[in-house]
């Protein structure tokens, strides 16, 4: 049984408000055979400068410290890749450091950047991430990814990370999904939704207009997961720049407040021990008193069906930012949909629905931009970027792409990033005839989750319009 | 093409130091990568053929035990630890709570009588360097009195949650890796076991 002390449950406090001033991202794709990584990073940084009407040189003058998110050195056979990028961005001799927390790398880089500004060490910090997974054959890539599991206890078992992850999906499918066809359809609906949203995103690598049947008929990867239930493997870069209040308003007249916290849990799912569920502000002990009766076999927490790291990151961040009910208090969300089923698991970790009832977030229509039942805006639209399933999963950049996408909605500038024909042309992508704006109307607050592997690291980032905070500093 | 004995690398420990012998890497020329559409150079291949040397440290008794048909685990016996008595499989050298060294115990009999499937997945895919036959039936195994859930593979039978399983061991030609441990469903006969494995 894991028990936390009061000191460990202390709600993190930023010593001064921190603001997100600008963001940027590159094109994302499965491979860039004729583009170096630094070119993609410069593309992302330049986009961030463009966004605040500055040249890259002007924007760089504000930056004091740099955090680089790049997870898989071994793919590129290049250690200290961060130093390469830092030099190519022309940011020497500023201090910089690399951050590596698997799929949460982008979020973790931002976590560090926010803390360095909050502490007063820097007034402006860059968080920039990238990943390069196209420069080895796919089976060797699978092996290299599986090296993120335990090298003695897991990796030799097939050298395939999906296998270590999918056992959790299986357990969730049996216990909470009850192996129902309707649950399988809900999983598929997530893939349809996210790939459909990706169609409106010129940066996105995996746009598809598909049906639930297409997902259910796609090749099995590891039952119940099929190819269209799974995220993409990507190359690309994304960044964000955070500042203290004074600096933020020098860069832009509309910076966003940023709150961020992190949680962690075992690298091996094997090592998960039982504990009581840490409650979010919208839950009580009553919420779970009959969980085991309603879902036989759910008596272990987090077991294989929850992500404790995500729950803890939300536990801290909601209280930092004053979020009580995420469905009511937030307007848009980007989730780590590595697989359709893990997307559902994360609804519960984040308290969008109680444990066991995650599917209702999709089935109710709350997770859509336009609720298919009411034809009105969904209560909390998710993954309008396309997510990891439809947009990209360039590991070190993913969390930063998601933060950027949430920012675009709150800035009310989503169309400006996703609509211009010139961008579709420059990326060599065909803009669909039925292109539609996915701008969330009146978005004031949003959340992005950044999640590693089987849940070893998770960050939750909350962005808010500074005129619509939920809590006084 | 499998390497011959002359092409392989071996390591001994002599006077407390690693002493490699044999071949640990082969050198192969880079090859250019051209864009077939434009005829222009885009990059090069960087061939690497390396063998890593790795210490099991305090976990060595676990991996050595598998080749002898024993499943070793650990238990915290620290009177002052609030989770005293917790048994760990995977084998943990130190208690995660008090950080005192755990006691090594033999849990082979517990595994033979109480192992059951907590979750599973079947996959037809694998990564490079995989040595397991496909499809791979991953299983997570619960044991009575053990606070954690071991990941392994099912070598014989079909997985189901809560199904009883029995450990088998690669005792004839151990690789000294986790693949020396597998499970089979209850009722599996000796003749059905993979080559080299025994109960």
């Amino acid at each position: 049984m894991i028990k936390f002390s009061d000191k460990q449950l202390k709600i993190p406090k930023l010593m001064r408000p921190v603001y997100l001033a600008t963001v940027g991202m590159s094109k994302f794709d499965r491979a860039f055979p004729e583009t170096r990584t630094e070119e993609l990073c410069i593309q992302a940084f330049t986009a961030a400068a463009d966004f605040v009407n500055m040249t890259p040189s002007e924007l760089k003058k504000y930056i004091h410290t740099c955090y680089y998110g790049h997870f898989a050195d071994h793919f590129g056979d290049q250690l200290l890749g961060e130093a390469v990028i830092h030099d190519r961005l022309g940011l020497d001799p500023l201090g910089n450091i690399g951050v590596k927390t698997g799929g949460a790398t982008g979020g973790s880089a931002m976590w560090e950047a926010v803390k360095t500004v909050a502490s007063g060490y820097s007034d402006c910090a860059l968080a920039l991430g990238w990943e390069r997974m196209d420069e080895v054959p796919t089976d060797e890539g699978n092996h290299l990814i599986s090296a993120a599991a335990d090298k003695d206890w897991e990796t030799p078992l097939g050298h395939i990370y999906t296998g270590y992850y999918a056992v959790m999906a299986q357990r969730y499918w049996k216990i909470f999904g009850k192996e129902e066809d309707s649950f399988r359809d809900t999983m598929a609906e997530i893939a349809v939704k996210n790939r459909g949203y990706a169609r409106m995103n010129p940066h996105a690598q995996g746009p598809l207009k598909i049906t639930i049947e297409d997902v259910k008929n796609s090749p099995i990867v590891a039952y119940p997961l099929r190819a269209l239930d799974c995220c993409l493997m990507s190359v690309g870069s994304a960044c964000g720049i955070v500042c203290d209040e004074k600096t933020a308003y020098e860069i832009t007249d509309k910076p966003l407040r940023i709150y961020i916290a992190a949680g962690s849990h075992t690298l091996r799912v094997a090592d998960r021990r039982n504990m009581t569920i840490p409650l979010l502000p919208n839950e009580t002990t009553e919420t779970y008193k009959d969980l085991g009766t309603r879902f036989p076999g759910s008596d272990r927490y987090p077991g294989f069906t929850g992500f404790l790291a995500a729950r803890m990151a939300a536990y801290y961040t909601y209280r930092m930012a004053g979020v009580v009910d995420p469905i009511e208090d937030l307007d848009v969300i980007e989730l780590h949909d590595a697989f359709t089923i893990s997307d559902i698991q994360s609804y519960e970790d984040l308290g969008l629905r109680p444990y066991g009832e995650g599917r209702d977030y999709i089935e109710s229509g709350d997770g859509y931009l336009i609720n298919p039942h009411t034809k009105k805006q969904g209560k909390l639209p998710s993954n309008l970027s396309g997510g990891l399933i439809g947009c990209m999963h360039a590991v070190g950049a993913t969390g930063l792409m998601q933060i950027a996408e949430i920012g675009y909605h709150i800035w009310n500038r989503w169309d400006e990033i996703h609509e211009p024909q010139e961008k579709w042309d420059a990326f060599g992508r065909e803009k669909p005839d039925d292109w539609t704006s996915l701008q969330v109307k009146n978005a004031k607050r949003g959340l992005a989750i950044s999640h590693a592997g089987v849940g070893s690291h998770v960050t939750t980032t909350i962005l808010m319009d500074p005129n619509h905070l939920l809590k006084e500093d | 093409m499998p390497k011959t004995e002359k092409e392989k690398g071996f390591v001994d420990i002599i006077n407390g130091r690693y002493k490699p012998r044999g071949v640990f890497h082969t050198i192969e020329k880079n090859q250019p990568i051209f864009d077939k559409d434009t005829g222009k150079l885009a990059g090069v291949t960087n061939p690497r053929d390396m063998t890593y040397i790795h210490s099991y440290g305090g976990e060595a008794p676990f991996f050595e035990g598998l080749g002898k048909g024993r499943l070793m685990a650990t238990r915290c016996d620290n009177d002052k630890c609030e989770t005293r008595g917790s048994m760990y499989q995977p084998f943990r050298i130190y208690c995660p709570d008090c950080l005192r060294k755990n006691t090594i115990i033999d849990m082979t009999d517990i595994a033979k009588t109480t192992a059951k499937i907590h979750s599973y997945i079947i996959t037809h895919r694998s990564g490079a360097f995989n040595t397991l036959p496909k499809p791979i039936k991953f299983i997570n195994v619960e044991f009575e009195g053990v606070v954690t859930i071991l990941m392994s593979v099912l070598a014989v039978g079909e997985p189901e949650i809560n199904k009883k399983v029995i450990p088998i061991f690669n005792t004839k030609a151990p690789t000294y890796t986790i693949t020396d441990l597998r499970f089979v469903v209850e009722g599996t006969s000796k003749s059905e076991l993979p080559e080299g494995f025994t109960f």
Side-chain angles (χ1 to χ4, degrees):
Chain A
M1 174 72 83
I2 297 177
K3 289 180 186 167
F4 294 117
S5 70
D6 291 344
K7 288 185 172 60
Q8 289 166 335
L9 291 176
K10 169 192 175 285
I11 303 309
K13 182 170 170 52
L14 302 177
M15 298 308 287
R16 59 176 176 168
V18 181
Y19 292 80
L20 182 69
T22 186
V23 294
M25 55 193 189
S26 71
K27 175 185 175 182
F28 302 112
D29 215 334
R30 175 67 185 86
F32 284 95
E34 299 188 46
T35 308
R36 286 178 72 91
T37 306
E38 71 208 51
E39 297 175 65
L40 297 167
C41 294
I42 288 171
Q43 204 179 101
F45 188 86
T46 303
D50 288 345
F51 193 66
V52 287
N53 298 315
M54 285 188 185
T55 65
S57 304
E58 288 167 341
L59 183 58
K60 282 197 290 178
K61 288 191 169 69
Y62 291 92
I63 295 170
H64 184 255
T65 306
C66 302
Y67 291 91
Y68 294 118
H70 171 219
F71 176 51
D73 284 336
H74 58 337
F75 267 84
D77 202 16
Q78 169 71 66
L79 294 180
L80 284 178
E82 299 86 359
V84 175
I85 299 301
H86 190 66
D87 166 61
R88 302 301 194 271
L89 286 170
L91 286 164
D92 286 314
L94 302 178
N96 77 84
I97 194 164
V99 177
K100 298 182 191 308
T101 57
T105 295
S108 299
M110 182 57 83
W111 185 44
E112 290 304 313
V114 168
K115 288 185 294 179
T116 208
V117 171
S119 73
Y121 181 91
S122 297
D123 292 335
C124 179
L126 168 69
L128 184 141
W130 67 89
E131 208 65 56
R132 186 94 219 194
M133 293 190 147
D134 58 337
E135 298 196 314
V136 292
T138 301
D139 65 335
E140 291 180 21
N142 282 335
H143 161 71
L144 292 175
I145 292 169
S146 78
D150 185 297
K151 69 187 267 184
D152 292 327
W153 292 78
E154 294 171 324
T155 308
L157 301 175
H159 299 253
I160 181 87
Y161 199 90
T162 315
Y164 322 140
Y165 202 107
V167 291
M168 294 185 298
Q170 181 75 261
R171 183 85 187 171
Y172 190 95
W173 162 247
K174 302 269 189 195
I175 303 294
F176 290 120
K178 299 184 175 178
E179 300 181 82
E180 292 172 0
D181 289 343
S182 59
F183 182 74
R184 175 58 263 194
D185 286 352
T186 302
M187 287 167 59
E189 203 178 322
I190 294 165
V192 173
K193 172 177 86 71
N194 295 358
R195 289 175 194 275
Y197 288 149
R199 294 179 62 242
M200 311 305 158
N201 183 356
H203 295 264
Q205 167 194 338
L208 277 179
K209 195 172 187 175
I210 50 171
T211 64
I212 287 174
E213 290 308 311
D214 291 333
V215 179
K216 287 162 62 179
N217 291 328
S218 63
I220 289 179
V221 174
Y223 186 84
L225 299 175
R226 292 173 180 269
L228 289 172
D229 285 303
C230 304
C231 69
L232 303 160
M233 187 186 270
S234 315
V235 180
S237 175
C239 70
I241 290 176
V242 287
C243 311
D244 70 327
E245 188 169 288
K246 179 173 175 294
T247 312
Y249 280 98
E250 288 174 21
I251 294 175
T252 173
D253 57 5
K254 197 178 177 188
L256 305 180
R257 278 292 293 272
I258 183 167
Y259 306 87
I260 186 166
S264 70
H265 201 199
T266 59
L267 178 72
R268 300 182 293 216
V269 289
D271 293 308
R272 294 180 170 194
R273 292 184 288 163
N274 284 1
M275 62 179 295
T276 53
I277 300 174
L279 299 174
L280 296 179
N282 62 342
E283 297 173 335
T284 67
T285 49
E286 286 291 296
T287 313
Y288 297 116
K289 66 175 185 186
D290 59 350
L291 187 65
T293 313
R294 287 184 291 128
F295 300 101
S298 66
D299 43 325
R300 291 179 84 111
Y301 179 82
F304 279 26
T305 50
F307 292 112
L308 176 60
R311 172 50 66 117
M312 288 312 298
Y315 180 98
Y316 291 130
T317 319
Y318 287 178
R319 290 171 170 97
M320 285 171 84
V323 171
V324 175
D325 181 345
I327 292 282
E328 296 300 325
D329 294 338
L330 304 173
D331 303 307
V332 57
I333 192 165
E334 282 280 328
L335 298 163
H336 189 92
D337 52 337
F339 301 97
T340 51
I341 203 162
S342 60
D343 202 49
I344 297 174
Q345 290 172 274
S346 69
Y347 308 155
E348 301 172 4
D349 299 318
L350 296 175
L352 309 186
R353 290 293 188 277
Y355 281 110
E357 295 168 33
R359 58 188 288 180
D360 183 63
Y361 170 65
I362 292 298
E363 291 167 1
S364 67
D366 283 356
Y368 284 84
L369 179 65
I370 302 299
N371 183 321
H373 310 300
T374 65
K375 310 298 178 199
K376 294 179 181 167
Q377 186 164 296
K379 284 188 176 175
L380 184 61
S382 72
N383 291 14
L384 299 173
S385 66
L388 283 67
I389 284 178
C391 179
M392 68 82 146
H393 189 22
V395 182
T398 305
L400 291 161
M401 175 278 285
Q402 294 174 303
I403 290 169
E405 285 282 337
I406 292 296
Y408 295 137
H409 286 286
I410 304 175
W411 275 308
N412 198 25
R413 293 175 68 182
W414 191 91
D415 290 0
E416 182 185 322
I417 299 300
H418 300 82
E419 184 176 22
Q421 185 64 49
E422 311 85 72
K423 182 178 276 185
W424 289 87
D425 293 342
F427 286 172
R429 287 180 170 149
E430 194 173 336
K431 188 176 179 183
D433 292 337
D434 60 348
W435 186 91
T436 309
S437 169
L438 301 182
Q439 171 69 51
V440 174
K441 306 260 184 320
N442 299 313
K444 304 299 178 201
R445 307 180 202 104
L447 181 149
I449 188 164
S450 189
H451 176 126
V454 295
S456 63
H457 304 74
V458 176
T459 65
T460 52
T461 303
I462 293 176
L463 300 178
M464 290 190 191
D465 180 322
N467 296 320
H468 292 83
L469 302 184
L470 291 170
K471 189 179 175 184
E472 286 184 17
D473 292 319
Chain B
M1 182 76 103
K3 289 181 175 177
T4 65
E5 290 300 297
K6 281 184 178 175
E7 293 167 331
K8 290 179 186 172
F10 302 88
V11 179
D12 300 306
I13 298 174
I14 299 172
N15 295 328
R17 297 196 176 203
Y18 287 127
K19 294 289 179 191
R21 59 189 165 82
V23 179
F24 275 77
H25 60 269
T26 52
I27 297 169
E28 195 182 320
K29 275 187 181 174
N30 307 77
Q31 299 294 334
I33 301 170
F34 289 102
D35 185 321
K36 285 281 187 189
D37 295 327
T38 64
K40 290 183 178 171
L41 179 72
V44 291
T45 65
N46 287 320
R48 299 275 185 271
D49 175 11
M50 294 173 58
T51 299
Y52 289 93
I53 300 170
H54 172 51
S55 170
Y56 278 143
E59 289 184 3
F62 172 85
F63 293 99
E64 193 163 20
L66 299 180
K68 295 173 181 167
R70 309 308 299 175
L71 186 63
M72 309 308 284
T74 57
R75 183 182 61 221
C76 176
D77 287 334
N78 177 9
D79 289 338
K80 293 178 181 165
C81 180
E82 59 183 23
T83 56
R84 179 180 184 274
S86 292
M87 266 199 314
Y88 294 99
Q89 186 64 275
F91 184 109
R92 292 183 81 105
I93 306 165
Y94 293 93
C95 167
D97 295 321
C98 65
L99 299 186
R100 292 286 186 86
K101 217 161 193 176
N102 281 332
T103 306
I104 297 175
I105 57 169
D106 184 337
M107 62 163 287
T108 316
D109 292 337
I110 295 173
K112 286 183 175 176
T113 52
T114 73
K116 62 177 188 176
I117 295 175
H118 182 75
S119 192
Y120 66 91
I121 205 79
I122 300 171
T123 180
H124 292 258
R125 301 188 182 197
S126 67
F129 315 114
N130 172 47
T131 56
L132 297 176
K134 288 191 275 190
I136 302 169
K137 297 170 186 172
F138 287 104
I139 57 170
N140 307 91
V141 186
E142 295 176 30
F143 307 99
E144 206 168 282
V146 175
V147 298
T148 48
I149 301 170
L150 179 71
M151 175 167 278
S152 188
V153 292
L154 189 68
V156 178
E158 292 307 314
E160 267 177 49
I161 288 177
N162 292 330
K163 194 179 243 186
K164 281 203 75 176
V165 287
I166 311 287
I168 58 169
F169 303 91
N170 181 5
T171 53
K172 302 279 174 66
T175 64
Y176 302 102
T177 71
I178 194 68
T179 61
D180 286 346
L181 171 67
R182 297 180 200 177
F183 286 79
V184 294
V185 294
E186 196 175 34
T188 300
S189 66
K190 201 173 160 185
S191 62
E192 293 175 277
L193 301 188
E195 195 180 339
F197 277 75
T198 54
F199 283 110

